[in-house]
Amino acid sequence: MSYIQDVLNGLVRTHPLQPEFHQAVKEVLTSIAPVLDRYPHYREQAILERITEPERVILFRVPWMDARGRIQIHRGYRIEYNSALGPFKGGLRFHPTVNLSILKFLAFEQVFKNSLTTLPMGGGKGGSDFDPKGKLDVEVMNFCQSFMTELQRHIGPNTDVPAGDIGVGAREIGYLFGQYKRIRNEFTGVITGKRLNWGGSLIRPEATGYGTVYFAQNMLAVRGEDLAGKVCTVSGAGNVAQYTVEKLIELGAKVVSLSDSNGTVHDPAGIDREKLAWVMELKNVRRGRISEYANQFKGSIYREGLRPWSIPCDCAFPSATQNELSGDDARTLVKNGCRLVAEGANMPTEPEGVDVFLANRVLFGPGKAANAGGVAVSGLEMAQNSEHTYWTRETVDQRLRDIMKSVHEQAYNASVEYGATENYVVGANIAGFVKVADAMLDQGLV
Ligand code: NDP
Ligand code: 2IT
C-alpha cells in the first residue's frame, strides 16, 4: 500500500540513521495495512503521520562526579511518544548502547503495548548511555540524582510516569524517587517499580516474567496444550529472565538455559528452584556474571559468546535485549522442534526470524503483547498509589492473569478478524493501534 510506503519513506528522511526505530515502525505499519484498507478515514485524517511522530523528545546533559572525583558527562533522554490513552508511561534504560534510535523504538512499541493492557496509559521511554555495571552504589546514586534533577521538571503522576528497564532496577528507582521527592516535596506515584515498603506493588518485580509465561499458556491453550514437561530456553539473566524461569518451574516446565552479554549457560538437568535462588543472589546482590553458574553446578556448560538458540527446546523465551535472535537462529530453533516463542524482551527477534516463525506456524508472542504484564502491573501500582493503599499478592496476581488473558484475546481476535488466525504480530499491532488511533481522532488535532 503506497500510503504506508510514503509514510515510511518520510520517516526515514526526517529521522535518519535510526535503524531500530525504523524497524519497529515498519513492522507495525506493515501489519495494519488491512485496517487502513477497510477504514479510509484513518488515511484522510493522516493518522500514520501523526502516530509515528513523538509528541515530545527531551534530551539533556547529566553531569556527575565519580568516586575518584572525576567529572563524568552522560546524556539523558525521555521520549514522550503518545498520551492519547493516558499519562506517558514506560521505563528508563541505563545502558551504554542507549541512543535516540533505541529509545524511540522502545517508546513507539510501548504506545501499542500499553493500549493492549486495557489500562489508561500513554506510551513513553527514557534513559541514558550511563552504565551502572561495575559502578559503586554511591556513583549510581550520584548519577541518578543528577539525572532526576533535570527529569523531574518533565514528569509527574498525571503527566509522565517512568519505571525500570535494562540497568534500572529497585536500587536505581529508589535513588530516582528520593531525588524527585526532595526537589518537588511530594510523595506521589511518579515512578513505578518502587520497593514494597515505600509505595511499590506486590508482584511488580515478577510481573514481566510471569506475564510472559501466562501469555505463552494462553497461546498453547488455543491448541489444547500446556507448559508441563516442555523444555524451555531462556536468554538473559536479569529481572525478566529470572521471573520467567520461576514461573516456568512452577508450571512443571524444564528450563535449560540463561545468558548475559558475554555468553550462555546450558544446564541439561534443568534449572530448579535452588539453582534459581543462587542465580538471583549472583545477579541481584553480588552483581556477578552468568559464567559463574557453570563452576557452581556440575553438568552445566558455559558457552562464551554464544546465545541459547542452538539448544534444542520446545519453547523459547528471549528475555535479554533487542535483535538477539536472527533469521538463522529461528531456522535452527524450528529445525530442533521449537513450537512456541514468547518475547519477554522488546523486539528480540529480527524481522527475518519473525517471518521464519510465522511461516512454520510456531506460536509467536511478540513483545508488545507477551511482555505487557510488566507495564500492566506498573499501572496497578499507579492505581494503588492514587488510592493510598496496598493490594494483596493474590489480588495483583489475579489482575495480571486477567490482563494477560485479555491481551491474548484482543490479539487473537484481531488476527481472526483480519484473516490471519494465530498471527499475533498482526493481531497485537491491529488491536493496539485501533484503540490509540480512535482516541487520537476523538481528541482532535493536537
Ligand atoms: P536487566 O537489566 O534486569 O537484565 C538484562 C539482561 O539482558 C542481562 O542479563 C543482560 O546481560 C542482558 N543484556 C542486556 N543488554 C544486552 C545486550 N546488548 N546483549 C546481550 N545481552 C544483553 O533488564 P530486564 O530484565 O528488565 O530487561 C530485559 C528485556 O526485557 C529488555 O528488552 C527490556 O526492554 C524488556 N522488558 C523489561 C520489562 C521490565 O519490567 N523490566 C518489561 C517489559 C520488557 P549483561 O548483564 O551482560 O548486560
Ligand atoms: O518495556 C516495558 O514495558 C518496561 N520496561 C516496563 C515499563 C513500565 O512502565 O513498567
Side-chain angles (χ1 to χ4, degrees):
M1 193 188 188
S2 77
Y3 174 41
I4 289 173
Q5 200 49 55
D6 288 349
V7 172
L8 284 172
N9 292 344
L11 186 95
V12 172
R13 261 198 317 277
T14 47
H15 306 252
L17 305 173
Q18 301 189 346
E20 295 85 3
F21 177 53
H22 301 159
Q23 180 185 337
V25 174
K26 186 173 176 192
E27 183 209 280
V28 171
L29 298 202
T30 310
S31 56
I32 61 173
V35 181
L36 302 172
D37 286 340
R38 197 180 290 182
Y39 302 108
H41 69 288
Y42 287 131
R43 179 180 186 169
E44 287 152 19
Q45 295 284 333
I47 200 70
L48 296 188
E49 292 87 331
R50 291 157 66 180
I51 213 167
T52 52
E53 188 66 31
E55 285 182 37
R56 189 174 298 114
V57 174
I58 300 157
L59 210 161
F60 50 97
R61 179 173 66 203
V62 189
W64 62 284
M65 199 168 273
D66 69 20
R68 291 164 61 184
R70 288 175 308 198
I71 289 171
Q72 305 277 352
I73 304 296
H74 284 93
R75 194 171 259 202
Y77 305 83
R78 187 72 183 165
I79 317 294
E80 297 185 334
Y81 217 110
N82 193 301
S83 63
L85 298 183
F88 302 107
K89 180 83 196 89
L92 297 171
R93 177 176 290 191
F94 292 169
H95 194 272
T97 57
V98 161
N99 58 36
L100 264 183
S101 175
I102 298 280
L103 293 181
K104 278 158 69 181
F105 118 63
L106 288 164
F108 184 75
E109 289 284 290
Q110 198 81 46
V111 172
F112 305 101
K113 182 196 301 191
N114 293 4
S115 161
L116 290 168
T117 65
T118 71
L119 301 174
M121 299 184 289
K125 198 90 186 185
S128 175
D129 57 356
F130 170 76
D131 189 357
K133 252 196 265 151
K135 301 281 192 305
L136 299 171
D137 282 357
V138 67
E139 293 178 316
V140 173
M141 184 179 77
N142 287 347
F143 174 81
C144 287
Q145 291 185 341
S146 180
F147 184 87
M148 185 52 86
T149 300
E150 175 61 29
L151 186 68
Q152 57 86 20
R153 73 188 76 244
H154 304 290
I155 62 176
N158 298 308
T159 309
D160 183 353
V161 183
D165 193 78
I166 291 178
V168 179
R171 173 182 61 171
E172 290 75 16
I173 295 289
Y175 296 147
L176 292 163
F177 180 77
Q179 183 73 350
Y180 180 89
K181 185 164 61 72
R182 182 184 187 192
I183 295 174
R184 301 284 288 255
N185 194 28
E186 44 182 48
F187 194 117
T188 63
V190 68
I191 188 163
T192 60
K194 300 183 291 298
R195 279 206 215 268
L196 275 178
N197 49 343
W198 45 273
S201 174
L202 285 158
I203 304 287
R204 177 60 189 91
E206 295 88 340
T208 310
Y210 281 15
T212 304
V213 177
Y214 296 151
F215 192 86
Q217 277 185 305
N218 280 292
M219 289 197 292
L220 285 170
V222 174
R223 292 192 184 170
E225 291 183 55
D226 62 32
L227 281 161
K230 297 270 194 304
V231 174
C232 301
T233 46
V234 176
S235 66
N239 172 269
V240 178
Q242 292 170 18
Y243 288 103
T244 296
V245 175
E246 184 168 286
K247 186 53 77 175
L248 285 170
I249 295 172
E250 188 187 317
L251 294 172
K254 181 178 179 184
V255 183
V256 295
S257 75
L258 281 170
S259 69
D260 62 21
S261 50
N262 294 108
T264 293
V265 284
H266 177 196
D267 187 348
I271 301 169
D272 59 20
R273 283 177 215 274
E274 289 73 44
K275 292 174 182 174
L276 177 62
W278 184 88
V279 170
M280 286 184 172
E281 208 263 337
L282 170 79
K283 298 304 292 183
N284 309 344
V285 182
R286 287 197 282 130
R287 298 182 187 271
R289 309 301 300 159
I290 203 64
S291 60
E292 296 176 40
Y293 184 102
N295 304 328
Q296 184 70 18
F297 299 109
K298 270 209 256 335
S300 63
I301 313 145
Y302 175 67
R303 296 172 170 167
E304 179 77 21
L306 291 187
R307 293 170 175 156
W309 314 129
S310 60
I311 302 169
C313 64
D314 301 307
C315 308
F317 293 82
S319 311
T321 193
Q322 64 280 346
N323 293 329
E324 57 161 319
L325 198 162
S326 67
D328 282 342
D329 292 330
R331 277 182 281 275
T332 304
L333 281 162
V334 169
K335 182 166 65 70
N336 287 337
C338 177
R339 283 170 291 153
L340 177 146
V341 176
E343 293 188 328
N346 286 305
M347 208 169 76
T349 311
E350 289 180 3
E352 192 191 340
V354 176
D355 292 344
V356 170
F357 290 138
L358 294 176
N360 286 280
R361 292 203 67 235
V362 172
L363 289 167
F364 177 74
K368 69 170 71 65
N371 72 39
V375 72
V377 175
S378 278
L380 303 181
E381 183 173 328
M382 290 166 71
Q384 293 168 76
N385 291 163
S386 60
E387 284 180 359
H388 302 280
T389 191
Y390 290 101
W391 301 346
T392 63
R393 172 171 283 270
E394 291 68 34
T395 301
V396 181
D397 193 33
Q398 192 53 52
R399 297 258 338 233
L400 172 61
R401 287 173 199 264
D402 293 345
I403 288 169
M404 295 316 297
K405 188 159 188 268
S406 168
V407 173
H408 174 269
E409 222 163 67
Q410 293 170 68
Y412 182 81
N413 290 346
S415 80
V416 174
E417 186 184 342
Y418 284 90
T421 301
E422 282 193 347
N423 181 333
Y424 292 96
V425 176
V426 164
N429 285 334
I430 289 180
F433 166 81
V434 167
K435 208 183 296 174
V436 179
D438 288 350
M440 289 174 76
L441 296 185
D442 287 345
Q443 292 169 29
L445 196 51
V446 292

